[in-house]
Each structure stands twice: as structure tokens, then as C-alpha cells.
Amino acid sequence: EYWTRRVALFGDEKAFLPMTIDGALRDDVDTLRTGFFQILPPDLQGRPVLLHQKSRINPSRHHRDSLGRVILYMLTTVSMMTVDSDERQEHPNNVS
């Protein structure tokens, strides 16, 4: 499902590039910089918090596909943060 969606959003040319502004997101920097979708500090239980501000989107400047790519990037980033956090909590040498 993830890779099917990623290919649909990014196309064959960019779908398998690194998810960076120099890679798969190279055409979406303007959309990313709008801040319409942001990762905030975690809540008190350590869960990631996302903020979506639709008012920051200009439909004449930010194409729907670009918005989708940025959302997928942000969700992927948050999921990796969650995995990293879970691994730290479960690691036997965790002293924090």
C-alpha cells in the first residue's frame, strides 16, 4: 500500500529517490515551506503531534499532488520518529 501510494504521488522517476528536498521532494520545496502541515513537539505521553493549517495553502500556487507528496513525507517522518522512540524505550541499555 505505501509503495503503491508513493509511486502514484511521485511517479516512477522520483518514487524511489530518498525522501529529501534534494531527492523525491525537489519539486515540492515551496509547498513544504508553507507550513500547512507541521510536526509539533510531542505531547506529554511522547506521542507525535501534527498540525494541519489549510489556510496556508494557496490552490493557485500549490498543486494538489504536491500537497499529497508533502503530507506523505510528513507522515513518513513522524512514523520514523515513532519507531525510533519505540526502539529507544524497548532497548535493554536504555537509561533515560
Side-chain angles (χ1 to χ4, degrees):
E1 179 72 34
Y2 172 83
W3 287 104
T4 302
R5 187 50 146 165
R6 189 163 162 170
V7 170
L9 284 170
F10 288 89
D12 292 331
E13 179 186 326
K14 295 188 295 182
F16 301 101
L17 294 175
M19 192 79 86
T20 64
I21 60 171
D22 296 326
L25 292 161
R26 66 179 176 244
D27 299 326
D28 303 303
V29 174
D30 186 50
T31 303
L32 187 60
R33 287 186 177 153
T34 65
F36 86 97
F37 207 78
Q38 299 176 39
I39 301 171
L40 300 178
D43 68 9
L44 295 175
Q45 285 74 38
R47 296 173 295 202
V49 177
L50 298 171
L51 172 65
H52 177 250
Q53 297 184 74
K54 189 175 181 179
S55 63
R56 291 183 175 234
I57 300 168
N58 180 344
S60 65
R61 268 187 84 186
H62 306 110
H63 191 272
R64 182 177 159 179
D65 290 344
S66 183
L67 297 169
R69 289 188 292 268
V70 168
I71 290 171
L72 182 63
Y73 165 72
M74 298 298 268
L75 293 175
T76 300
T77 300
V78 166
S79 70
M80 297 306 291
M81 292 167 53
T82 303
V83 168
D84 290 345
S85 175
D86 291 345
E87 288 174 359
R88 283 193 300 272
Q89 290 174 3
E90 295 174 8
H91 193 278
N93 295 326
N94 186 5
V95 291
S96 58

